[in-house]
Amino acid sequence: MNEVREIVTKAVVAKGKKVMHISHELHTTAHPYSILGCWIINHEFEASKHDNLIDIDGSLEVNIWYSTEENTKTDVLREIITYQKNIKVKQIVNDYLKNSDDVLAKILKHPTVTNAKINNDVIYLDIEFEVLAEVIGETKMQVTVFNPIETQEEDIEDLDIEVNENFLGES
């Protein structure tokens, strides 16, 4: 006998991913001559749902190591950059409880500086990273149950098996 049952479960109901680009200008009182290195640390963000968009609000710290005075001295410039981006998500499941949304966002590619240049004592940066966003919601699914087994105490008692402790001594 087969039975069909409905199970309420949480599932991915919408999904999207996006490569984010940030362009930023860094101003310094020193006169940078050349860029020796760029690092991004302390990247943090929060994700929230708004219609078919996931809003990403975040910040990251940029550290630029540069030379001054015609490559005779070096300095490090640190600046925190904030950003607001959004990701369009594609609906996967249409029939779900709309007020049960949870948003999961994770970094697929960590932020890196893809281009850094100096122009008139201003350092211009291009930053790139990739984010995957998923909307989790409550939905129903139907499952077929084949031959439901009713557990009885007798079945459990059958598991008590006598063990022959002298099995090694027998030939």
Side-chain angles (χ1 to χ4, degrees):
M1 177 171 128
N2 296 343
E3 292 183 35
V4 175
R5 296 193 182 142
E6 285 189 337
I7 298 174
V8 176
T9 185
K10 288 194 173 258
V12 175
V13 295
K15 189 183 262 192
K17 76 177 178 178
K18 185 176 182 179
V19 176
M20 311 272 185
H21 297 278
I22 300 172
S23 295
H24 191 73
E25 298 176 6
L26 295 164
H27 299 275
T28 177
T29 55
H31 302 291
Y33 185 78
S34 65
I35 296 173
L36 305 172
C38 301
W39 294 271
I40 296 178
I41 59 173
N42 300 328
H43 182 217
E44 298 175 345
F45 65 93
E46 291 184 4
S48 60
K49 184 176 183 284
H50 180 71
D51 295 329
N52 281 343
L53 294 175
I54 303 297
D55 297 322
I56 307 288
D57 296 319
S59 66
L60 47 88
E61 182 180 336
V62 176
N63 291 278
I64 307 295
W65 180 34
Y66 63 96
S67 68
T68 60
E69 298 179 22
E70 297 189 15
N71 282 337
T72 59
K73 294 186 179 182
T74 66
D75 199 0
V76 175
L77 177 62
R78 293 176 180 89
E79 189 169 319
I80 294 177
I81 300 172
T82 59
Y83 64 89
Q84 294 179 327
K85 300 284 185 177
N86 56 43
I87 301 172
K88 187 174 182 180
V89 291
K90 181 180 179 188
Q91 205 73 25
I92 299 171
V93 177
N94 290 324
D95 187 23
Y96 74 99
L97 294 172
K98 306 287 188 217
N99 60 353
S100 66
D101 291 345
D102 290 325
V103 177
L104 294 177
K106 59 184 168 186
I107 299 294
L108 296 178
K109 180 184 170 200
H110 289 280
T112 57
V113 176
T114 57
N115 189 24
K117 61 182 176 181
I118 301 168
N119 191 3
N120 295 330
D121 292 340
V122 177
I123 299 173
Y124 295 92
L125 298 178
D126 292 327
I127 301 168
E128 181 180 285
F129 58 99
E130 187 173 13
V131 179
L132 170 71
E134 296 176 326
V135 178
I136 311 293
E138 285 187 1
T139 187
K140 289 182 183 179
M141 60 187 277
Q142 292 183 340
V143 295
T144 303
V145 179
F146 296 98
N147 299 325
I149 298 172
E150 296 178 21
T151 59
Q152 298 175 352
E153 288 186 26
E154 300 171 356
D155 296 338
I156 296 172
E157 289 176 4
D158 289 343
L159 294 176
D160 187 23
I161 301 172
E162 288 188 32
V163 176
N164 180 2
E165 295 177 4
N166 296 322
F167 75 96
L168 289 176
E170 298 175 357
S171 4

